Amino acid sequence: MAVKKIKSVEELEKKISTCSSCLEKKFNGKDGKRHIVVCGGTGCLSSDSQGIIDKLNSLIKEKKLEDKITVNVVGCFGFCSQGPFVKIFPEDRLYHAVKISDCERIIDEDIIGGKCIEDLLYEDPNTHQKVEKQEDINFYKKQLRIALHGCGTINPEIIDEALGYDAFKGLIKALSMDRQKVIDEILLSGLRGRGGGGFPTGRKWQFAYDQENDTKYVVCNGDEGDPGAFMDRSILEGNPVAVIEGMMIAGYAIGAQNGYFYVRAEYPVAVRRLSLAIKELEEVGLLGDNILGSGFSFRCHVRLGAGAFVCGEETALLNSIEGKRGMPRPRPPFPAVKGLWDKPTIINNVETLANVPYILRIGGAEFAKVGTDKSKGTKVFALGGKVKNVGLVEVPMGTTLRELIFDIGGGIPNDKRFQAIQTGGPSGGCLTMNELDTPIDFDNLIAKGSMMGSGGAIVMDEDNCMVDVAKFYLEFICDESCGKCSQCRIGTKRLLEILTKVTDGKATMEDLDKLEQLSESIQVGSLCGLGQTAPNPVLSTLSKFRDVYERHVIDKKCDAGICKNLISFTIDPEKCKKCSLCSRNCPVNAISGTVGKTPFVIDQSKCIKCGSCLSSCKFGAISKK
């Protein structure tokens, strides 16, 4: 059966109204059905939420309830450490950490019996009260979902649900405006690029609009390569239509007819849902020629990332789309002047484009009311590391780090002491207890020695060694450097060698001076943002934790017990029970003794510092120093 194409704004508005009504009836229970929604984000899928979906559908079929119950897949709920999530409508009841074995209880006790299953509700760790509604959980209370609009609410694989949840209202408004007026609205909003640089989005669009060329392009950067970052992935998985609409508005504004999504190949769910949304929009006439009879034509294309971190840099990304090796280009000329296939091109990341339809719906001035003077709107963070509530967080700009870590994040597990938070991934830096009350925005974080980046936020406690943290990021940078410029290719390698000397206890105080000097040279001489920001983790940890570096260099000690060459395991002969358990668990036979007769001893020359002996001893006879 052929799909009916939507040929005018009036037809689309009527379709949106119908879909909105259907969605409202679903949420309010006015359609006479019960609806189960299950998180289908990658995090929950890895915990077998697909198995939960299959089991629920199987039970519904077995009990002949198909006309009374539906099961829908939605995007990421954000609270990743508590998934998989199952939500029941119209009660708006949220169950967390659901297992396949819970499915029959959900159908029998809740859906059929009308009883809330208390033990599947989230328990507030402070009050120990069970919480039934999502909005009543502390993790969500200070959040404001703009870029994450629809994620965890609508089925990303059903276009009608997106239309019922505000999709294409922004494009309708944009098509009624002059192209320059659309750009003016983005300028008025104060929206800055969410990919890391924070460049004003409207100015970038203006540069491309001003170029006299019949062919222009819009590129969406979905090559999210920062360790621990999953913001863009979750948006594409949860509401791909919003990002497509943002790209279309950008294309209309600058006069482009083609857009390219460059998405990490490691994101198969996001790629599949994005591709499906593009196909469905083409079928109904919302992508293609003469969209809504406006004379505006636009097509979307998907390209998979080449697996290199440097391809997140916009000019390297353009090379990759063109089939060339992913290496940065000298600038100027900037992509807005000479970009994809030498044509004017704007490059915005996923989160940036997800904000665009919202801005057109409510107006730039209204959007600008949220945030700080120079950083408007919200920012999505992937909050991870040593924090209780790991997950995806969207907060207004100006929210403090303390609120992010201790209110939304729930604080540090096991009553450990907070030590630092690394923002901006390998390109960023660490912020300490002294910066906890810093309002989060682009300029404040840079002033404190870090940066917003794409939104990775890794929390570290007292058990983390900050020298080892810097070394970890440098190892990543060295692996991902494209090698085009010698400052980055050779300089980062030398930085890593010096850091390795520090962690091995072989460095001198002169080496710490060399770290600073070399870092500054790499920043100044590198061609692209990867090399220019590569020394940030070194400089920030060296500045804020110099005493830790000096402890490694002077005393040859790693107080966190992370740097293997600076720690040792010893057995207290008075506490040793002569049981041989430690010896039997040692992978290199470094422990000797006689069962029941003599205490066991560790040969330090053979010990590989794996800690197997420490974890296996049941009597507290082994210590790490």
Side-chain angles (χ1 to χ4, degrees), residues 72-201:
N72 257 347
V73 182
V74 296
C76 180
F77 279 79
F79 202 175
C80 302
S81 58
Q82 296 294 323
F85 286 98
V86 171
K87 192 179 250 190
I88 310 296
F89 288 102
E91 292 82 0
D92 197 24
R93 181 181 296 139
L94 185 69
Y95 293 135
H96 80 118
V98 177
K99 300 183 286 293
I100 294 176
S101 57
D102 297 318
C103 292
E104 192 147 9
R105 295 176 62 204
I106 291 173
I107 297 296
D108 291 342
E109 296 178 32
D110 188 316
I111 302 298
I112 296 175
K115 176 186 173 184
C116 176
I117 306 173
E118 292 282 332
D119 59 286
L120 292 182
L121 297 177
Y122 175 76
E123 181 179 299
D124 188 290
N126 298 317
T127 64
H128 301 291
Q129 297 293 313
K130 294 289 187 176
V131 184
E132 187 171 341
K133 305 288 186 182
Q134 180 176 336
E135 61 267 22
D136 293 331
I137 298 174
N138 282 335
F139 179 79
Y140 295 102
K141 285 183 178 178
K142 291 192 175 183
Q143 293 195 48
L144 176 61
R145 288 196 156 199
I146 294 176
L148 292 173
H149 177 76
C151 296
T153 303
I154 63 170
N155 188 327
E157 299 183 16
I158 299 178
I159 294 299
D160 282 2
E161 293 212 0
L163 290 174
Y165 212 65
D166 299 328
F168 280 87
K169 291 181 180 178
L171 181 67
I172 290 173
K173 185 175 178 182
L175 292 176
S176 70
M177 302 164 64
D178 180 77
R179 295 177 188 271
Q180 181 61 58
K181 293 292 184 183
V182 175
I183 296 173
D184 290 343
E185 207 66 38
I186 300 299
L187 286 166
L188 181 62
S189 74
L191 179 66
R192 296 172 66 173
R194 301 303 198 243
F199 190 82
T201 303

Side-chain angles (χ1 to χ4, degrees), residues 289-520:
D289 295 327
N290 193 24
I291 297 168
L292 302 176
S294 65
F296 170 57
S297 300
F298 196 82
R299 287 178 170 78
C300 291
H301 315 271
V302 179
R303 296 290 182 270
L304 299 186
F309 180 65
V310 74
C311 286
E313 194 279 332
E314 60 180 20
T315 60
L317 183 153
L318 295 178
N319 275 341
S320 184
I321 292 177
E322 292 176 5
K324 302 171 185 174
R325 183 175 177 182
M327 302 179 84
R329 306 173 182 177
R331 295 178 298 178
F334 291 93
V337 177
K338 188 177 180 182
L340 194 60
W341 291 297
D342 292 334
K343 302 297 183 180
T345 304
I346 56 171
I347 306 165
N348 295 129
N349 90 318
V350 170
E351 186 182 341
T352 308
L353 290 177
N355 277 279
V356 169
Y358 180 79
I359 292 171
L360 267 294
R361 288 199 302 269
I362 69 167
E366 191 67 24
F367 180 87
K369 291 179 180 179
V370 176
T372 63
D373 287 344
K374 295 183 179 179
S375 298
K376 304 298 184 181
T378 59
K379 181 70 189 79
V380 182
F381 289 95
L383 186 62
K386 305 289 185 67
V387 65
K388 291 178 182 177
N389 300 336
V390 172
L392 206 62
V393 177
E394 184 172 5
V395 293
M397 295 281 193
T399 301
T400 65
L401 289 170
R402 188 182 301 277
E403 291 175 292
L404 180 66
I405 299 166
F406 291 94
D407 293 345
I408 298 171
I412 315 302
N414 305 315
D415 296 321
K416 294 285 187 177
R417 175 179 56 84
F418 167 78
Q419 183 168 203
I421 179 170
Q422 176 85 12
T423 63
S427 303
C430 65
L431 301 166
T432 66
M433 185 72 73
N434 297 330
E435 286 95 25
L436 279 179
D437 293 312
T438 299
I440 300 170
D441 69 12
F442 290 100
D443 303 308
N444 282 338
L445 294 186
I446 291 174
K448 296 294 182 179
S450 186
M451 64 184 297
M452 184 85 72
S454 58
I458 308 299
V459 179
M460 290 162 279
D461 68 10
E462 60 192 78
D463 293 334
N464 289 100
C465 171
M466 300 311 296
V467 183
D468 183 70
V469 168
K471 181 183 172 184
F472 166 79
Y473 284 116
L474 253 295
E475 287 172 340
F476 179 83
I477 289 294
C478 285
D479 287 342
E480 297 296 339
S481 173
C482 73
K484 184 169 186 175
C485 55
S486 58
Q487 288 87 347
C488 179
R489 181 183 70 249
I490 301 171
T492 55
K493 184 67 174 175
R494 297 292 84 82
L495 275 183
L496 180 57
E497 289 173 355
I498 297 173
L499 282 176
T500 302
K501 286 176 65 178
V502 175
T503 57
D504 287 347
K506 298 177 181 178
T508 65
M509 292 300 290
E510 290 182 356
D511 287 317
L512 300 188
D513 295 332
K514 289 178 182 177
L515 281 176
E516 291 181 323
Q517 295 165 4
L518 185 54
S519 293
E520 292 168 2

Side-chain angles (χ1 to χ4, degrees), residues 7 14-15 30 72 94 203 207 294 344 460 528-529 563:
K7 298 180 180 180
K14 184 177 179 180
K15 176 74 171 177
K30 293 180 180 179
N72 257 347
L94 185 69
R203 285 177 58 192
F207 292 149
S294 65
M460 290 162 279
C528 80
C563 302

